[in-house]
Amino acid sequence: MNVLILGAGGREYSIGLALSKDENVEKIYFAPGNGGTDTLGENLSISDFSELADFVEKNAVDLTIVGPEGPLVDGIVDVFEARGLTIFGPSAKAAQLEGSKIFMKNFLARHNVPTAKYIETNSLQDAYTFIEKLDVPIVVKADGLCGGKGVIIAQSKEEAKKAAGEMLSGNSFGDAGTSIVVEEFLDGYELSVFAICDGNDYIVLPAAQDHKRLLNNDKGPNTGGMGAYAPTPLVNDEIYKKLDERVIVPTLEGMKAEGMPFKGVLFIGVMVVKGEPIILEYNVRFGDPECEELMPLLKSPASELFYKAATADLKSAKIEFYDKYAVGVVMASRDYPYKSSAPAEIIIDDIYHEELNENAHISYAGVTRGDEGKLYATGGRVLVCVGIGDSIKEAQRHAYMLVGQIHYAGKQCRTDIAYQVL
Ligand code: AMP
Ligand code: GLY
């Protein structure tokens, strides 16, 4: 089959890499892709949904996979399905689970899915009253999509009030902040859990842990994610069972009952507090960098997972994972996440080490290919070094061996990915 992947990150590269090893897949297109995806397939510079659908019809693309949330919230799935095209991802209505934190929180409340105590409001006075009732730290969130930056964890009531005031005035996040959620702080460990859904059935992937802060020991500012590993031994069968019964089933049943059956990736941001999984948020797409670790663990053909999910046929899929671990280390550019950095040429040493060639690879993200074929670091998160191993420690060693082979001016990465379990 021919596949189109929408997006430009390491997430989309890793999906493409998995599909490129799948004998059922002939041709892969990326829109727009990046300077690395051009070795896996063809990059297209089309972004208009109708033009993309035209391309899919003309070029016999059998399946479109949407990487990021933006086009999902903007309704690309609705446009494609109206034209009878097969696409993996939720409708615009279902994508509100990520597109609006207020929709998500109210949905969780309607369906009794455990989540932090909260109010949603557009009144500063109501926000102040609720803040007075909470213990610190206090979490203040803008309603709409803010590229992962719309969450403030305030260490004092004054700071919480200031954040609420700035969001509601539209000063910090524009329209995305005209309504806010104020909620209690949950103290525990965070998981990224992914359910691949087809509207009726679902498959839960091995749980991962992300590293959101820029610096080692979870210091520094929040980022899109500086590294991840999977599966995490912090999840046992009991937690998976609770997630299933209390979270995934009521969510998918609730979405169906409310007339927006969920198809695509349900990304469940979980905080485990004293052994109880509590939902922080939903996203409607794969995590980045979590996807980069999950794709190489997939033993079954990637096309089977995505095509069957997109065509409501997951029931007939037999999806298996390797009994291995993956660790992904994000290499970022000099000024990430504060501002963009000057392009820097990337030099990768030839790797003669067989152990490394077999057990590590790069997932390219913020890279651009120059006219002379050279690669340049041009984005915030430049690439992810993914190591595979029989233990987390071995996977981590492979990932960092690969990091050592990659050079560009201003490269930065954390040196402690997977520290939680080592
Ligand atoms: P969100 O965009 O809602 O996932 O929030 C971004 C990050 O802020 C999460 O990944 C958590 O690390 C943190 N966070 C959000 N809400 C809470 C909460 N209620 N308690 C503790 N940490 C939180
Ligand atoms: N890695 C977290 C995210 O993709 O939102």
Side-chain angles (χ1 to χ4, degrees):
M1 68 172 77
N2 301 322
V3 184
L4 166 65
I5 300 171
L6 297 189
R11 170 179 52 205
E12 289 75 22
Y13 182 96
S14 72
I15 295 171
L17 184 64
L19 289 167
S20 73
K21 295 177 179 160
D22 180 338
E23 49 188 45
N24 306 319
V25 175
E26 273 160 58
K27 176 122 201 195
I28 306 173
Y29 299 97
F30 295 87
N34 61 46
T37 55
D38 60 359
T39 60
L40 302 173
E42 188 180 329
N43 288 347
L44 310 172
S45 51
I46 312 174
S47 56
D48 179 78
F49 297 167
S50 299
E51 284 174 34
L52 283 166
D54 292 342
F55 180 89
V56 160
E57 279 171 356
K58 279 200 200 101
N59 294 276
V61 172
D62 304 281
L63 169 67
T64 299
I65 299 172
V66 188
E69 63 278 14
L72 295 169
V73 172
D74 290 342
I76 190 164
V77 170
D78 308 79
V79 171
F80 271 50
E81 289 189 338
R83 292 174 61 166
L85 303 172
T86 301
I87 185 164
F88 177 76
S91 65
K93 245 173 130 186
Q96 291 176 88
L97 276 183
E98 173 163 3
S100 164
K101 292 210 190 296
I102 290 174
F103 174 85
M104 181 264 297
K105 290 295 285 192
N106 291 342
F107 178 89
L108 293 177
R110 280 198 297 281
H111 297 281
N112 289 317
V113 177
T115 186
K117 222 173 21 178
Y118 74 103
I119 58 157
E120 57 128 314
T121 183
N122 55 18
S123 144
L124 193 56
Q125 196 47 51
D126 292 352
Y128 278 14
T129 310
F130 192 68
I131 286 168
E132 280 306 328
K133 288 189 205 146
L134 291 177
D135 296 327
V136 289
I138 293 167
V139 184
V140 185
K141 302 182 175 183
D143 178 43
L145 291 178
C146 303
K149 294 177 190 83
V151 176
I152 303 289
I153 300 191
Q155 299 302 330
S156 69
K157 294 191 176 183
E158 283 58 50
E159 195 190 333
K161 288 179 180 173
K162 186 160 162 261
E166 282 172 1
M167 284 183 196
L168 285 174
S169 68
N171 284 343
S172 1
F173 302 110
D175 282 348
T178 48
S179 283
I180 59 171
V181 168
V182 180
E183 69 181 23
E184 69 175 327
F185 179 80
L186 299 172
D187 195 7
Y189 60 87
E190 209 169 330
L191 301 173
S192 300
V193 178
F194 301 92
I196 306 293
C197 310
D198 75 355
N200 285 306
D201 293 294
Y202 63 94
I203 291 172
V204 180
L205 307 188
Q209 265 199 312
D210 186 16
H211 299 61
K212 291 226 162 82
R213 304 292 201 95
L214 181 69
L215 305 173
N216 283 0
N217 300 314
D218 295 328
K219 298 278 190 298
N222 259 324
T223 69
M226 293 300 290
Y229 71 94
T232 172
L234 295 174
V235 188
N236 54 26
D237 288 347
E238 200 186 326
I239 293 180
Y240 275 122
K241 187 158 173 274
K242 285 179 183 170
L243 276 168
D244 221 43
E245 290 171 356
R246 297 181 193 171
V247 180
I248 301 174
V249 171
T251 296
L252 297 182
E253 290 300 316
M255 291 298 279
K256 228 191 305 183
E258 295 190 21
M260 44 186 143
F262 192 90
K263 185 187 67 172
V265 185
L266 182 68
F267 171 175
I268 310 164
V270 180
M271 192 72 90
V272 181
V273 183
K274 299 193 182 91
E276 302 300 322
I278 313 223
I279 302 318
L280 283 177
E281 62 159 354
Y282 283 133
N283 295 302
V284 298
R285 35 97 192 157
F286 270 115
D288 191 345
E290 293 95 322
C291 188
E292 288 92 315
E293 292 73 54
L294 291 170
M295 283 300 116
L297 294 176
L298 184 62
K299 190 171 174 187
S300 306
S303 65
E304 184 178 357
L305 180 65
F306 291 114
Y307 190 78
K308 290 197 163 168
T311 53
D313 189 24
L314 268 186
K315 202 176 257 154
S316 78
K318 205 175 157 291
I319 301 300
E320 289 181 301
F321 288 86
Y322 291 111
D323 190 14
K324 287 186 182 284
Y325 295 89
V327 172
V329 177
V330 171
M331 295 183 69
S333 56
R334 188 185 61 195
D335 295 319
Y336 183 73
Y338 303 104
K339 56 183 168 90
S340 55
S341 312
E345 187 184 343
I346 302 173
I347 310 276
I348 304 172
D349 296 339
D350 287 333
I351 296 169
Y352 298 107
H353 201 310
E354 211 169 303
E355 182 189 350
L356 196 54
N357 271 324
E358 283 169 10
N359 294 293
H361 65 268
I362 298 170
S363 222
Y364 289 99
V367 301
T368 304
R369 198 175 294 283
D371 290 336
E372 55 321 347
K374 289 178 180 169
L375 267 189
Y376 293 86
T378 47
R381 293 189 293 172
V382 175
L383 54 85
V384 187
C385 291
V386 182
I388 309 294
D390 290 324
S391 64
I392 293 175
K393 197 160 183 64
E394 190 182 66
Q396 188 200 49
R397 190 167 58 81
H398 291 145
Y400 280 110
M401 280 169 79
L402 184 55
V403 168
Q405 311 296 313
I406 297 169
H407 316 278
Y408 55 88
K411 73 176 185 178
Q412 61 161 332
C413 67
R414 280 178 63 157
T415 59
D416 67 344
I417 300 304
Y419 79 92
Q420 299 94 322
V421 291
L422 290 176

